Amino acid sequence: GLLLFLTCFICLASAAVMRLTLCSTRYATLHRVSSNVMTQSYAFNYIVLVAVLFARLIAIFEGTAMQVSKRSIVIFWCLYVSGIVCSVLTAWSFSNAPSVASIFFIAAAVVVFALMLVLAYAFVYKLLVVHVHDKPNSDGDNDRMKKLIAKSSLLSFISLSLSMVSFIFLAVYTFIPGVHSFFVCGLFFCIDIVSNVVCIFLTYKPFAEYYKSLC
């Protein structure tokens, strides 16, 4: 959680610096550096986010009938490493080989979004199966399970929706670069990063009151 928050802070801080130096040629170097830091911290934030979600999935269902199989773990890590490789190649190609940057970006976006979608689906599905087959001992347990399923589904939907919108705008900027697309893309970068961190934190018990207030 702390690493996720730290990458979010770095991404937002570098995005602020990038905006402030956008309209002046005097700060062209600072603008370029802050832009690279924002892009890399954004990609790293997703790398950390996916790893946190998968670790939670394993921990929650460990020892139950719905625990994650070894084959699923191997498949996940293969896709995870491929997503990291595509993200690194995307960051490198934007500066050194812009002509192939869009290809690496699309590959990285597809892998990362697919992993997040599968993890969200697996988490909600496993909760539903456990709820159906392992009957709660009381009405209170039943209500808590229903609320947990509803919370997981809602937060996953919010996070995935904003991620999809962010990826779409990033794709638009990649193929149709311009001031307006750059501004909108950067805006959704920040919204997406903050929403992901908030959605993760709201799943923990210490933030239950904030979840009730916001959702």
Side-chain angles (χ1 to χ4, degrees):
L2 180 60
L3 183 58
L4 194 65
F5 177 80
L6 181 62
T7 55
C8 174
F9 176 79
I10 293 174
C11 184
L12 294 177
S14 57
V17 173
M18 184 184 68
R19 296 295 180 190
L20 291 173
T21 57
L22 177 62
C23 300
S24 176
T25 55
R26 293 175 55 190
Y27 305 104
T29 302
L30 182 59
H31 175 76
R32 185 172 62 256
V33 171
S34 60
S35 178
N36 290 333
V37 171
M38 189 199 75
T39 303
Q40 293 171 14
S41 59
Y42 180 78
F44 186 70
N45 184 270
Y46 264 98
I47 291 172
V48 175
L49 176 64
V50 172
V52 168
L53 290 175
F54 189 64
R56 289 199 65 193
L57 183 68
I58 293 176
I60 289 173
F61 295 100
E62 187 176 6
T64 68
M66 296 302 295
Q67 69 179 6
V68 181
S69 65
K70 292 182 179 179
R71 182 176 62 180
S72 298
I73 294 175
V74 171
I75 294 174
F76 168 83
W77 285 115
C78 290
L79 292 174
Y80 186 74
V81 171
S82 66
I84 293 176
V85 171
C86 290
S87 299
V88 171
L89 290 174
T90 300
W92 172 84
S93 59
F94 269 123
S95 301
N96 300 280
S99 59
V100 297
S102 58
I103 299 175
F104 292 130
F105 161 72
I106 292 174
V110 169
V111 171
V112 171
F113 187 77
L115 284 173
M116 290 184 62
L117 184 63
V118 170
L119 287 173
Y121 171 78
F123 188 75
V124 175
Y125 172 75
K126 288 178 182 293
L127 282 176
L128 286 171
V129 171
V130 171
H131 175 62
V132 171
H133 291 282
D134 299 337
K135 294 296 182 181
N137 297 324
S138 64
D139 291 338
D141 292 337
N142 190 40
D143 290 339
R144 279 193 293 272
M145 181 62 75
K146 288 181 179 179
K147 289 179 180 179
L148 180 59
I149 294 173
K151 177 194 284 189
S152 301
S153 302
L154 177 60
L155 294 177
S156 297
F157 175 77
I158 293 172
S159 181
L160 288 171
S161 298
L162 290 174
S163 296
M164 181 180 290
V165 172
S166 180
F167 287 157
I168 290 173
F169 277 109
L170 185 56
V172 170
Y173 175 69
T174 302
F175 292 104
I176 312 175
V179 176
H180 296 90
S181 57
F182 175 78
F183 176 81
V184 175
C185 182
L187 177 64
F188 272 94
F189 260 29
C190 298
I191 295 174
D192 185 31
I193 285 291
V194 173
S195 67
N196 285 336
V197 174
V198 170
C199 286
I200 287 293
F201 284 163
L202 289 179
T203 61
Y204 291 97
K205 286 184 178 180
F207 300 93
E209 293 299 322
Y210 295 100
Y211 170 77
K212 292 178 181 178
S213 301
L214 294 172
C215 304

